[in-house]
Amino acid sequence: MTVDPTRIVADVDVLVRDLFLDDTDRDALDQIRAHSWLTLIVNEAILEEATTIITAVADRDLAADWQSHLTAMATIVAYPPGDHPVISAAVRGNAAQLLTHDPQLLSAETGATFHELRVSAKPPDAFVRQFDPDPLYREYVGGAYPGPDRDPRE
Amino acid sequence: MTWTTLFDRAANYDMTDDDLEAAIAAVRDSRESENQE
């Protein structure tokens, strides 16, 4: 399977924390929002779980507006029922990076599976520390890195 | 609507890390139960 380091899956926990907490989850997703050549990958299962949580802790209008905004920026890949939502999104989205806080997905056992799939699962703070757009841009887009090309909060 | 607007609306709920952790854990438990069936 060919994976692409510019394609990044965000787990439900990261998406929800991005919305409610001004923390490293938001810093991580700001990097994706700030670079048009990075692609956030989600599927219907991830969207549904996140929307359920947002509705439960806030309200339906906020959840609907969040979903509308997120789907406008993300690439939505197919989700076969029965698949693990996040692993499925990574595989079907050819994503090389997966942002999550889920201890099960970050475990050594699951890590071996991700290693075979060439997917790197990490918490958002590690992504923020390690993310270096310059070499990524040069290799996968081409030319000199021009800096962020989008306002991450628009 | 901008992300800033969404973040401002969400901030009105004063959610803490613990609040979100509990809500996320409930959904995650449900996910794992479904996967084990």
Side-chain angles (χ1 to χ4, degrees), chain A residues 11 13 17-19 21 33 49 53 59 62 65 69 84 102 104 153-154, chain B residues 1-4 6-7 9-10 13 15 17 20-21 23 27-28 31-32 35:
Chain A
D11 198 353
D13 49 13
R17 287 170 191 269
D18 169 53
L19 178 60
L21 303 177
R33 285 186 283 260
E49 283 187 12
I53 293 169
D59 64 72
L62 180 61
D65 288 342
H69 227 59
H84 186 292
D102 188 338
Q104 189 177 352
R153 302 299 170 85
E154 278 296 316
Chain B
M1 185 182 301
T2 66
W3 281 105
T4 298
L6 280 174
F7 294 154
R9 285 170 59 190
Y13 287 90
M15 299 303 297
D17 200 45
L20 292 177
E21 184 62 36
V27 170
R28 183 166 286 153
R31 173 201 289 178
E32 288 172 2
N35 283 346

PDB file of all heavy atoms in Angstrom, chain A residues 11 13 17-19 21 33 49 53 59 62 65 69 84 102 104 153-154, chain B residues 1-4 6-7 9-10 13 15 17 20-21 23 27-28 31-32 35:
ATOM      1  N   ASP A  11      -8.436  11.235  14.857  1.00  0.00           N
ATOM      2  CA  ASP A  11      -9.430  10.436  15.574  1.00  0.00           C
ATOM      3  C   ASP A  11     -10.489  11.363  16.175  1.00  0.00           C
ATOM      4  O   ASP A  11     -10.297  12.584  16.296  1.00  0.00           O
ATOM      5  CB  ASP A  11      -8.736   9.631  16.672  1.00  0.00           C
ATOM      6  CG  ASP A  11      -9.582   8.458  17.166  1.00  0.00           C
ATOM      7  OD1 ASP A  11     -10.751   8.334  16.759  1.00  0.00           O
ATOM      8  OD2 ASP A  11      -9.060   7.668  17.983  1.00  0.00           O
ATOM      9  N   ASP A  13     -11.402  11.783  19.216  1.00  0.00           N
ATOM     10  CA  ASP A  13     -11.005  12.535  20.408  1.00  0.00           C
ATOM     11  C   ASP A  13     -10.243  13.813  20.043  1.00  0.00           C
ATOM     12  O   ASP A  13     -10.396  14.853  20.691  1.00  0.00           O
ATOM     13  CB  ASP A  13     -10.188  11.660  21.386  1.00  0.00           C
ATOM     14  CG  ASP A  13      -9.055  10.900  20.722  1.00  0.00           C
ATOM     15  OD1 ASP A  13      -8.711  11.210  19.564  1.00  0.00           O
ATOM     16  OD2 ASP A  13      -8.510   9.988  21.380  1.00  0.00           O
ATOM     17  N   ARG A  17     -11.639  17.594  20.878  1.00  0.00           N
ATOM     18  CA  ARG A  17     -10.788  18.476  21.692  1.00  0.00           C
ATOM     19  C   ARG A  17     -10.393  19.732  20.915  1.00  0.00           C
ATOM     20  O   ARG A  17     -10.252  20.802  21.498  1.00  0.00           O
ATOM     21  CB  ARG A  17      -9.531  17.731  22.139  1.00  0.00           C
ATOM     22  CG  ARG A  17      -9.783  16.698  23.213  1.00  0.00           C
ATOM     23  CD  ARG A  17      -8.544  15.842  23.418  1.00  0.00           C
ATOM     24  NE  ARG A  17      -8.807  14.699  24.246  1.00  0.00           N
ATOM     25  CZ  ARG A  17      -8.677  14.679  25.565  1.00  0.00           C
ATOM     26  NH1 ARG A  17      -8.261  15.747  26.194  1.00  0.00           N
ATOM     27  NH2 ARG A  17      -8.943  13.607  26.261  1.00  0.00           N
ATOM     28  N   ASP A  18     -10.196  19.588  19.630  1.00  0.00           N
ATOM     29  CA  ASP A  18      -9.883  20.759  18.799  1.00  0.00           C
ATOM     30  C   ASP A  18     -10.987  21.804  18.921  1.00  0.00           C
ATOM     31  O   ASP A  18     -10.716  22.997  19.027  1.00  0.00           O
ATOM     32  CB  ASP A  18      -9.723  20.318  17.338  1.00  0.00           C
ATOM     33  CG  ASP A  18      -9.651  21.485  16.360  1.00  0.00           C
ATOM     34  OD1 ASP A  18      -8.821  22.377  16.567  1.00  0.00           O
ATOM     35  OD2 ASP A  18     -10.437  21.503  15.396  1.00  0.00           O
ATOM     36  N   LEU A  19     -12.221  21.330  18.937  1.00  0.00           N
ATOM     37  CA  LEU A  19     -13.348  22.264  18.981  1.00  0.00           C
ATOM     38  C   LEU A  19     -13.478  22.957  20.342  1.00  0.00           C
ATOM     39  O   LEU A  19     -13.731  24.154  20.411  1.00  0.00           O
ATOM     40  CB  LEU A  19     -14.648  21.517  18.654  1.00  0.00           C
ATOM     41  CG  LEU A  19     -15.944  22.338  18.705  1.00  0.00           C
ATOM     42  CD1 LEU A  19     -15.900  23.499  17.718  1.00  0.00           C
ATOM     43  CD2 LEU A  19     -17.154  21.450  18.414  1.00  0.00           C
ATOM     44  N   LEU A  21     -11.198  22.786  23.234  1.00  0.00           N
ATOM     45  CA  LEU A  21     -10.042  23.152  24.058  1.00  0.00           C
ATOM     46  C   LEU A  21      -8.980  23.846  23.214  1.00  0.00           C
ATOM     47  O   LEU A  21      -8.618  23.360  22.142  1.00  0.00           O
ATOM     48  CB  LEU A  21      -9.429  21.899  24.704  1.00  0.00           C
ATOM     49  CG  LEU A  21     -10.358  21.051  25.574  1.00  0.00           C
ATOM     50  CD1 LEU A  21      -9.609  19.809  26.067  1.00  0.00           C
ATOM     51  CD2 LEU A  21     -10.888  21.848  26.765  1.00  0.00           C
ATOM     52  N   ARG A  33      -5.005  22.918   8.804  1.00  0.00           N
ATOM     53  CA  ARG A  33      -5.832  24.001   8.250  1.00  0.00           C
ATOM     54  C   ARG A  33      -4.984  25.063   7.559  1.00  0.00           C
ATOM     55  O   ARG A  33      -5.451  25.733   6.628  1.00  0.00           O
ATOM     56  CB  ARG A  33      -6.674  24.645   9.365  1.00  0.00           C
ATOM     57  CG  ARG A  33      -7.861  23.811   9.810  1.00  0.00           C
ATOM     58  CD  ARG A  33      -8.728  24.578  10.801  1.00  0.00           C
ATOM     59  NE  ARG A  33      -8.155  24.615  12.133  1.00  0.00           N
ATOM     60  CZ  ARG A  33      -8.531  23.833  13.136  1.00  0.00           C
ATOM     61  NH1 ARG A  33      -9.487  22.950  12.957  1.00  0.00           N
ATOM     62  NH2 ARG A  33      -7.952  23.927  14.322  1.00  0.00           N
ATOM     63  N   GLU A  49     -19.456   9.764  15.237  1.00  0.00           N
ATOM     64  CA  GLU A  49     -19.065   9.695  16.647  1.00  0.00           C
ATOM     65  C   GLU A  49     -18.794  11.087  17.205  1.00  0.00           C
ATOM     66  O   GLU A  49     -19.222  11.433  18.309  1.00  0.00           O
ATOM     67  CB  GLU A  49     -17.821   8.823  16.815  1.00  0.00           C
ATOM     68  CG  GLU A  49     -18.100   7.336  16.728  1.00  0.00           C
ATOM     69  CD  GLU A  49     -16.882   6.495  17.070  1.00  0.00           C
ATOM     70  OE1 GLU A  49     -15.893   7.042  17.586  1.00  0.00           O
ATOM     71  OE2 GLU A  49     -16.913   5.285  16.812  1.00  0.00           O
ATOM     72  N   ILE A  53     -20.875  13.186  20.201  1.00  0.00           N
ATOM     73  CA  ILE A  53     -20.252  13.736  21.416  1.00  0.00           C
ATOM     74  C   ILE A  53     -20.529  15.238  21.529  1.00  0.00           C
ATOM     75  O   ILE A  53     -20.894  15.738  22.596  1.00  0.00           O
ATOM     76  CB  ILE A  53     -18.730  13.465  21.405  1.00  0.00           C
ATOM     77  CG1 ILE A  53     -18.462  11.975  21.515  1.00  0.00           C
ATOM     78  CG2 ILE A  53     -18.049  14.225  22.550  1.00  0.00           C
ATOM     79  CD1 ILE A  53     -17.027  11.580  21.245  1.00  0.00           C
ATOM     80  N   ASP A  59     -24.641  21.278  21.934  1.00  0.00           N
ATOM     81  CA  ASP A  59     -25.994  21.256  21.363  1.00  0.00           C
ATOM     82  C   ASP A  59     -25.945  20.849  19.891  1.00  0.00           C
ATOM     83  O   ASP A  59     -24.877  20.812  19.277  1.00  0.00           O
ATOM     84  CB  ASP A  59     -26.688  22.617  21.514  1.00  0.00           C
ATOM     85  CG  ASP A  59     -25.985  23.711  20.736  1.00  0.00           C
ATOM     86  OD1 ASP A  59     -26.060  23.706  19.492  1.00  0.00           O
ATOM     87  OD2 ASP A  59     -25.349  24.585  21.367  1.00  0.00           O
ATOM     88  N   LEU A  62     -24.505  23.446  17.212  1.00  0.00           N
ATOM     89  CA  LEU A  62     -23.047  23.522  17.159  1.00  0.00           C
ATOM     90  C   LEU A  62     -22.487  22.287  16.453  1.00  0.00           C
ATOM     91  O   LEU A  62     -21.568  22.395  15.630  1.00  0.00           O
ATOM     92  CB  LEU A  62     -22.460  23.644  18.568  1.00  0.00           C
ATOM     93  CG  LEU A  62     -20.926  23.730  18.641  1.00  0.00           C
ATOM     94  CD1 LEU A  62     -20.407  24.962  17.905  1.00  0.00           C
ATOM     95  CD2 LEU A  62     -20.446  23.740  20.091  1.00  0.00           C
ATOM     96  N   ASP A  65     -23.090  22.626  12.690  1.00  0.00           N
ATOM     97  CA  ASP A  65     -22.199  23.627  12.080  1.00  0.00           C
ATOM     98  C   ASP A  65     -20.762  23.125  12.036  1.00  0.00           C
ATOM     99  O   ASP A  65     -20.034  23.369  11.067  1.00  0.00           O
ATOM    100  CB  ASP A  65     -22.283  24.945  12.859  1.00  0.00           C
ATOM    101  CG  ASP A  65     -23.598  25.661  12.619  1.00  0.00           C
ATOM    102  OD1 ASP A  65     -24.282  25.337  11.626  1.00  0.00           O
ATOM    103  OD2 ASP A  65     -23.963  26.533  13.439  1.00  0.00           O
ATOM    104  N   HIS A  69     -18.570  22.467   8.646  1.00  0.00           N
ATOM    105  CA  HIS A  69     -17.277  23.117   8.463  1.00  0.00           C
ATOM    106  C   HIS A  69     -16.170  22.091   8.231  1.00  0.00           C
ATOM    107  O   HIS A  69     -15.294  22.284   7.398  1.00  0.00           O
ATOM    108  CB  HIS A  69     -16.965  23.946   9.707  1.00  0.00           C
ATOM    109  CG  HIS A  69     -16.492  25.329   9.394  1.00  0.00           C
ATOM    110  ND1 HIS A  69     -17.234  26.241   8.669  1.00  0.00           N
ATOM    111  CD2 HIS A  69     -15.343  25.963   9.702  1.00  0.00           C
ATOM    112  CE1 HIS A  69     -16.561  27.362   8.554  1.00  0.00           C
ATOM    113  NE2 HIS A  69     -15.405  27.223   9.168  1.00  0.00           N
ATOM    114  N   HIS A  84     -12.885  -0.943  11.930  1.00  0.00           N
ATOM    115  CA  HIS A  84     -12.541   0.024  12.959  1.00  0.00           C
ATOM    116  C   HIS A  84     -12.500   1.389  12.284  1.00  0.00           C
ATOM    117  O   HIS A  84     -11.791   1.557  11.279  1.00  0.00           O
ATOM    118  CB  HIS A  84     -11.176  -0.307  13.562  1.00  0.00           C
ATOM    119  CG  HIS A  84     -10.816   0.558  14.723  1.00  0.00           C
ATOM    120  ND1 HIS A  84     -10.557   1.901  14.603  1.00  0.00           N
ATOM    121  CD2 HIS A  84     -10.713   0.280  16.038  1.00  0.00           C
ATOM    122  CE1 HIS A  84     -10.276   2.396  15.788  1.00  0.00           C
ATOM    123  NE2 HIS A  84     -10.370   1.438  16.679  1.00  0.00           N
ATOM    124  N   ASP A 102      -6.133   7.658  21.745  1.00  0.00           N
ATOM    125  CA  ASP A 102      -6.619   6.336  22.125  1.00  0.00           C
ATOM    126  C   ASP A 102      -5.435   5.436  22.512  1.00  0.00           C
ATOM    127  O   ASP A 102      -4.608   5.103  21.660  1.00  0.00           O
ATOM    128  CB  ASP A 102      -7.372   5.726  20.934  1.00  0.00           C
ATOM    129  CG  ASP A 102      -8.087   4.436  21.302  1.00  0.00           C
ATOM    130  OD1 ASP A 102      -7.698   3.795  22.298  1.00  0.00           O
ATOM    131  OD2 ASP A 102      -9.031   4.078  20.577  1.00  0.00           O
ATOM    132  N   GLN A 104      -5.288   2.393  23.037  1.00  0.00           N
ATOM    133  CA  GLN A 104      -5.267   1.130  22.288  1.00  0.00           C
ATOM    134  C   GLN A 104      -4.579   1.323  20.935  1.00  0.00           C
ATOM    135  O   GLN A 104      -3.788   0.490  20.497  1.00  0.00           O
ATOM    136  CB  GLN A 104      -6.690   0.623  22.096  1.00  0.00           C
ATOM    137  CG  GLN A 104      -6.748  -0.785  21.512  1.00  0.00           C
ATOM    138  CD  GLN A 104      -8.172  -1.304  21.385  1.00  0.00           C
ATOM    139  OE1 GLN A 104      -9.119  -0.692  21.863  1.00  0.00           O
ATOM    140  NE2 GLN A 104      -8.318  -2.428  20.731  1.00  0.00           N
ATOM    141  N   ARG A 153      -7.843  29.662  10.920  1.00  0.00           N
ATOM    142  CA  ARG A 153      -9.065  29.943  11.668  1.00  0.00           C
ATOM    143  C   ARG A 153     -10.194  30.463  10.789  1.00  0.00           C
ATOM    144  O   ARG A 153     -11.245  30.836  11.281  1.00  0.00           O
ATOM    145  CB  ARG A 153      -8.767  30.930  12.804  1.00  0.00           C
ATOM    146  CG  ARG A 153      -7.712  30.445  13.784  1.00  0.00           C
ATOM    147  CD  ARG A 153      -8.133  29.161  14.465  1.00  0.00           C
ATOM    148  NE  ARG A 153      -7.074  28.546  15.241  1.00  0.00           N
ATOM    149  CZ  ARG A 153      -6.779  28.863  16.488  1.00  0.00           C
ATOM    150  NH1 ARG A 153      -7.465  29.778  17.118  1.00  0.00           N
ATOM    151  NH2 ARG A 153      -5.786  28.240  17.115  1.00  0.00           N
ATOM    152  N   GLU A 154      -9.949  30.534   9.472  1.00  0.00           N
ATOM    153  CA  GLU A 154     -11.029  30.976   8.569  1.00  0.00           C
ATOM    154  C   GLU A 154     -12.003  29.855   8.293  1.00  0.00           C
ATOM    155  O   GLU A 154     -11.656  28.706   8.320  1.00  0.00           O
ATOM    156  CB  GLU A 154     -10.421  31.484   7.251  1.00  0.00           C
ATOM    157  CG  GLU A 154      -9.931  32.900   7.352  1.00  0.00           C
ATOM    158  CD  GLU A 154     -11.044  33.905   7.622  1.00  0.00           C
ATOM    159  OE1 GLU A 154     -12.125  33.801   6.985  1.00  0.00           O
ATOM    160  OE2 GLU A 154     -10.843  34.786   8.466  1.00  0.00           O
TER     161      GLU A 154
ATOM    162  N   MET B   1     -19.241  31.387   8.211  1.00  0.00           N
ATOM    163  CA  MET B   1     -18.775  31.106   9.564  1.00  0.00           C
ATOM    164  C   MET B   1     -17.313  30.657   9.538  1.00  0.00           C
ATOM    165  O   MET B   1     -16.925  29.906   8.652  1.00  0.00           O
ATOM    166  CB  MET B   1     -19.628  29.996  10.187  1.00  0.00           C
ATOM    167  CG  MET B   1     -19.288  29.734  11.637  1.00  0.00           C
ATOM    168  SD  MET B   1     -20.273  28.402  12.316  1.00  0.00           S
ATOM    169  CE  MET B   1     -21.911  29.049  12.058  1.00  0.00           C
ATOM    170  N   THR B   2     -16.543  31.110  10.487  1.00  0.00           N
ATOM    171  CA  THR B   2     -15.125  30.758  10.531  1.00  0.00           C
ATOM    172  C   THR B   2     -14.878  29.753  11.664  1.00  0.00           C
ATOM    173  O   THR B   2     -15.736  29.550  12.535  1.00  0.00           O
ATOM    174  CB  THR B   2     -14.262  31.996  10.783  1.00  0.00           C
ATOM    175  OG1 THR B   2     -14.554  32.486  12.114  1.00  0.00           O
ATOM    176  CG2 THR B   2     -14.538  33.082   9.759  1.00  0.00           C
ATOM    177  N   TRP B   3     -13.685  29.163  11.634  1.00  0.00           N
ATOM    178  CA  TRP B   3     -13.314  28.280  12.747  1.00  0.00           C
ATOM    179  C   TRP B   3     -13.281  29.069  14.054  1.00  0.00           C
ATOM    180  O   TRP B   3     -13.649  28.555  15.110  1.00  0.00           O
ATOM    181  CB  TRP B   3     -11.949  27.635  12.475  1.00  0.00           C
ATOM    182  CG  TRP B   3     -12.036  26.480  11.537  1.00  0.00           C
ATOM    183  CD1 TRP B   3     -11.666  26.455  10.226  1.00  0.00           C
ATOM    184  CD2 TRP B   3     -12.560  25.175  11.827  1.00  0.00           C
ATOM    185  NE1 TRP B   3     -11.926  25.211   9.685  1.00  0.00           N
ATOM    186  CE2 TRP B   3     -12.463  24.417  10.641  1.00  0.00           C
ATOM    187  CE3 TRP B   3     -13.087  24.577  12.967  1.00  0.00           C
ATOM    188  CZ2 TRP B   3     -12.883  23.085  10.562  1.00  0.00           C
ATOM    189  CZ3 TRP B   3     -13.513  23.254  12.896  1.00  0.00           C
ATOM    190  CH2 TRP B   3     -13.411  22.527  11.716  1.00  0.00           C
ATOM    191  N   THR B   4     -12.851  30.309  13.978  1.00  0.00           N
ATOM    192  CA  THR B   4     -12.822  31.144  15.183  1.00  0.00           C
ATOM    193  C   THR B   4     -14.219  31.265  15.786  1.00  0.00           C
ATOM    194  O   THR B   4     -14.393  31.166  17.010  1.00  0.00           O
ATOM    195  CB  THR B   4     -12.266  32.542  14.845  1.00  0.00           C
ATOM    196  OG1 THR B   4     -10.919  32.392  14.382  1.00  0.00           O
ATOM    197  CG2 THR B   4     -12.291  33.449  16.064  1.00  0.00           C
ATOM    198  N   LEU B   6     -16.700  29.141  15.468  1.00  0.00           N
ATOM    199  CA  LEU B   6     -17.050  27.849  16.063  1.00  0.00           C
ATOM    200  C   LEU B   6     -16.344  27.651  17.406  1.00  0.00           C
ATOM    201  O   LEU B   6     -16.950  27.184  18.375  1.00  0.00           O
ATOM    202  CB  LEU B   6     -16.661  26.714  15.110  1.00  0.00           C
ATOM    203  CG  LEU B   6     -17.601  26.423  13.946  1.00  0.00           C
ATOM    204  CD1 LEU B   6     -16.977  25.381  13.025  1.00  0.00           C
ATOM    205  CD2 LEU B   6     -18.959  25.941  14.437  1.00  0.00           C
ATOM    206  N   PHE B   7     -15.070  28.002  17.450  1.00  0.00           N
ATOM    207  CA  PHE B   7     -14.325  27.842  18.704  1.00  0.00           C
ATOM    208  C   PHE B   7     -14.912  28.739  19.799  1.00  0.00           C
ATOM    209  O   PHE B   7     -14.989  28.343  20.963  1.00  0.00           O
ATOM    210  CB  PHE B   7     -12.842  28.179  18.491  1.00  0.00           C
ATOM    211  CG  PHE B   7     -12.118  27.226  17.574  1.00  0.00           C
ATOM    212  CD1 PHE B   7     -11.001  27.632  16.859  1.00  0.00           C
ATOM    213  CD2 PHE B   7     -12.548  25.907  17.418  1.00  0.00           C
ATOM    214  CE1 PHE B   7     -10.329  26.766  16.019  1.00  0.00           C
ATOM    215  CE2 PHE B   7     -11.874  25.026  16.570  1.00  0.00           C
ATOM    216  CZ  PHE B   7     -10.764  25.462  15.869  1.00  0.00           C
ATOM    217  N   ARG B   9     -18.029  29.767  20.040  1.00  0.00           N
ATOM    218  CA  ARG B   9     -19.307  29.173  20.479  1.00  0.00           C
ATOM    219  C   ARG B   9     -19.048  27.976  21.390  1.00  0.00           C
ATOM    220  O   ARG B   9     -19.720  27.804  22.419  1.00  0.00           O
ATOM    221  CB  ARG B   9     -20.136  28.732  19.264  1.00  0.00           C
ATOM    222  CG  ARG B   9     -20.785  29.889  18.528  1.00  0.00           C
ATOM    223  CD  ARG B   9     -21.391  29.447  17.215  1.00  0.00           C
ATOM    224  NE  ARG B   9     -22.401  28.409  17.354  1.00  0.00           N
ATOM    225  CZ  ARG B   9     -22.918  27.743  16.327  1.00  0.00           C
ATOM    226  NH1 ARG B   9     -22.532  28.019  15.090  1.00  0.00           N
ATOM    227  NH2 ARG B   9     -23.834  26.821  16.528  1.00  0.00           N
ATOM    228  N   ALA B  10     -18.075  27.144  21.025  1.00  0.00           N
ATOM    229  CA  ALA B  10     -17.765  25.960  21.847  1.00  0.00           C
ATOM    230  C   ALA B  10     -17.218  26.364  23.212  1.00  0.00           C
ATOM    231  O   ALA B  10     -17.506  25.718  24.227  1.00  0.00           O
ATOM    232  CB  ALA B  10     -16.758  25.077  21.107  1.00  0.00           C
ATOM    233  N   TYR B  13     -19.307  26.719  26.430  1.00  0.00           N
ATOM    234  CA  TYR B  13     -19.714  25.552  27.226  1.00  0.00           C
ATOM    235  C   TYR B  13     -18.722  25.235  28.350  1.00  0.00           C
ATOM    236  O   TYR B  13     -18.980  24.349  29.167  1.00  0.00           O
ATOM    237  CB  TYR B  13     -19.918  24.338  26.323  1.00  0.00           C
ATOM    238  CG  TYR B  13     -21.176  24.464  25.496  1.00  0.00           C
ATOM    239  CD1 TYR B  13     -21.145  25.053  24.243  1.00  0.00           C
ATOM    240  CD2 TYR B  13     -22.403  24.046  25.994  1.00  0.00           C
ATOM    241  CE1 TYR B  13     -22.299  25.204  23.492  1.00  0.00           C
ATOM    242  CE2 TYR B  13     -23.563  24.192  25.249  1.00  0.00           C
ATOM    243  CZ  TYR B  13     -23.500  24.775  24.003  1.00  0.00           C
ATOM    244  OH  TYR B  13     -24.655  24.925  23.271  1.00  0.00           O
ATOM    245  N   MET B  15     -16.095  23.553  28.632  1.00  0.00           N
ATOM    246  CA  MET B  15     -15.760  22.138  28.800  1.00  0.00           C
ATOM    247  C   MET B  15     -14.334  21.996  29.300  1.00  0.00           C
ATOM    248  O   MET B  15     -13.430  22.704  28.852  1.00  0.00           O
ATOM    249  CB  MET B  15     -15.896  21.401  27.460  1.00  0.00           C
ATOM    250  CG  MET B  15     -17.296  21.425  26.869  1.00  0.00           C
ATOM    251  SD  MET B  15     -18.553  20.738  27.956  1.00  0.00           S
ATOM    252  CE  MET B  15     -17.991  19.061  28.088  1.00  0.00           C
ATOM    253  N   ASP B  17     -11.029  19.282  30.204  1.00  0.00           N
ATOM    254  CA  ASP B  17     -10.433  18.070  29.663  1.00  0.00           C
ATOM    255  C   ASP B  17     -11.139  16.834  30.225  1.00  0.00           C
ATOM    256  O   ASP B  17     -11.415  15.876  29.493  1.00  0.00           O
ATOM    257  CB  ASP B  17      -8.946  18.056  30.011  1.00  0.00           C
ATOM    258  CG  ASP B  17      -8.160  17.127  29.108  1.00  0.00           C
ATOM    259  OD1 ASP B  17      -8.379  17.153  27.886  1.00  0.00           O
ATOM    260  OD2 ASP B  17      -7.333  16.371  29.631  1.00  0.00           O
ATOM    261  N   LEU B  20     -14.604  16.264  28.597  1.00  0.00           N
ATOM    262  CA  LEU B  20     -14.512  15.698  27.254  1.00  0.00           C
ATOM    263  C   LEU B  20     -14.021  14.259  27.304  1.00  0.00           C
ATOM    264  O   LEU B  20     -14.496  13.404  26.541  1.00  0.00           O
ATOM    265  CB  LEU B  20     -13.567  16.546  26.392  1.00  0.00           C
ATOM    266  CG  LEU B  20     -14.079  17.945  26.059  1.00  0.00           C
ATOM    267  CD1 LEU B  20     -13.025  18.712  25.279  1.00  0.00           C
ATOM    268  CD2 LEU B  20     -15.371  17.883  25.268  1.00  0.00           C
ATOM    269  N   GLU B  21     -13.078  14.010  28.218  1.00  0.00           N
ATOM    270  CA  GLU B  21     -12.561  12.647  28.345  1.00  0.00           C
ATOM    271  C   GLU B  21     -13.690  11.669  28.651  1.00  0.00           C
ATOM    272  O   GLU B  21     -13.764  10.566  28.086  1.00  0.00           O
ATOM    273  CB  GLU B  21     -11.495  12.587  29.437  1.00  0.00           C
ATOM    274  CG  GLU B  21     -10.824  11.233  29.577  1.00  0.00           C
ATOM    275  CD  GLU B  21     -10.076  10.808  28.325  1.00  0.00           C
ATOM    276  OE1 GLU B  21      -9.486  11.674  27.657  1.00  0.00           O
ATOM    277  OE2 GLU B  21     -10.103   9.617  28.002  1.00  0.00           O
ATOM    278  N   ALA B  23     -16.938  12.026  28.018  1.00  0.00           N
ATOM    279  CA  ALA B  23     -17.839  11.887  26.867  1.00  0.00           C
ATOM    280  C   ALA B  23     -17.194  11.047  25.764  1.00  0.00           C
ATOM    281  O   ALA B  23     -17.853  10.212  25.129  1.00  0.00           O
ATOM    282  CB  ALA B  23     -18.209  13.269  26.326  1.00  0.00           C
ATOM    283  N   VAL B  27     -18.220   7.002  24.165  1.00  0.00           N
ATOM    284  CA  VAL B  27     -18.352   6.628  22.757  1.00  0.00           C
ATOM    285  C   VAL B  27     -17.324   5.566  22.383  1.00  0.00           C
ATOM    286  O   VAL B  27     -17.606   4.615  21.653  1.00  0.00           O
ATOM    287  CB  VAL B  27     -18.210   7.872  21.857  1.00  0.00           C
ATOM    288  CG1 VAL B  27     -18.110   7.481  20.395  1.00  0.00           C
ATOM    289  CG2 VAL B  27     -19.400   8.791  22.070  1.00  0.00           C
ATOM    290  N   ARG B  28     -16.112   5.717  22.931  1.00  0.00           N
ATOM    291  CA  ARG B  28     -15.050   4.750  22.614  1.00  0.00           C
ATOM    292  C   ARG B  28     -15.394   3.362  23.164  1.00  0.00           C
ATOM    293  O   ARG B  28     -15.156   2.356  22.504  1.00  0.00           O
ATOM    294  CB  ARG B  28     -13.734   5.257  23.198  1.00  0.00           C
ATOM    295  CG  ARG B  28     -12.560   4.399  22.875  1.00  0.00           C
ATOM    296  CD  ARG B  28     -11.272   5.120  23.169  1.00  0.00           C
ATOM    297  NE  ARG B  28     -10.977   6.143  22.176  1.00  0.00           N
ATOM    298  CZ  ARG B  28     -10.256   7.226  22.403  1.00  0.00           C
ATOM    299  NH1 ARG B  28      -9.778   7.456  23.594  1.00  0.00           N
ATOM    300  NH2 ARG B  28     -10.031   8.087  21.434  1.00  0.00           N
ATOM    301  N   ARG B  31     -17.727   1.833  20.852  1.00  0.00           N
ATOM    302  CA  ARG B  31     -17.025   1.410  19.637  1.00  0.00           C
ATOM    303  C   ARG B  31     -16.359   0.054  19.871  1.00  0.00           C
ATOM    304  O   ARG B  31     -16.478  -0.860  19.054  1.00  0.00           O
ATOM    305  CB  ARG B  31     -15.957   2.434  19.272  1.00  0.00           C
ATOM    306  CG  ARG B  31     -15.046   2.016  18.130  1.00  0.00           C
ATOM    307  CD  ARG B  31     -13.738   2.764  18.107  1.00  0.00           C
ATOM    308  NE  ARG B  31     -13.851   4.157  17.726  1.00  0.00           N
ATOM    309  CZ  ARG B  31     -12.804   4.996  17.679  1.00  0.00           C
ATOM    310  NH1 ARG B  31     -11.597   4.563  18.012  1.00  0.00           N
ATOM    311  NH2 ARG B  31     -12.959   6.252  17.335  1.00  0.00           N
ATOM    312  N   GLU B  32     -15.686  -0.098  21.014  1.00  0.00           N
ATOM    313  CA  GLU B  32     -14.969  -1.343  21.290  1.00  0.00           C
ATOM    314  C   GLU B  32     -15.938  -2.500  21.502  1.00  0.00           C
ATOM    315  O   GLU B  32     -15.667  -3.625  21.098  1.00  0.00           O
ATOM    316  CB  GLU B  32     -14.061  -1.148  22.506  1.00  0.00           C
ATOM    317  CG  GLU B  32     -12.867  -0.264  22.162  1.00  0.00           C
ATOM    318  CD  GLU B  32     -12.048   0.123  23.388  1.00  0.00           C
ATOM    319  OE1 GLU B  32     -12.387  -0.337  24.489  1.00  0.00           O
ATOM    320  OE2 GLU B  32     -11.077   0.881  23.222  1.00  0.00           O
ATOM    321  N   ASN B  35     -17.011  -3.672  18.155  1.00  0.00           N
ATOM    322  CA  ASN B  35     -15.958  -4.400  17.459  1.00  0.00           C
ATOM    323  C   ASN B  35     -15.794  -5.821  17.991  1.00  0.00           C
ATOM    324  O   ASN B  35     -15.363  -6.727  17.274  1.00  0.00           O
ATOM    325  CB  ASN B  35     -14.619  -3.657  17.591  1.00  0.00           C
ATOM    326  CG  ASN B  35     -14.560  -2.469  16.659  1.00  0.00           C
ATOM    327  OD1 ASN B  35     -15.365  -2.344  15.753  1.00  0.00           O
ATOM    328  ND2 ASN B  35     -13.614  -1.581  16.899  1.00  0.00           N
TER     329      ASN B  35
END
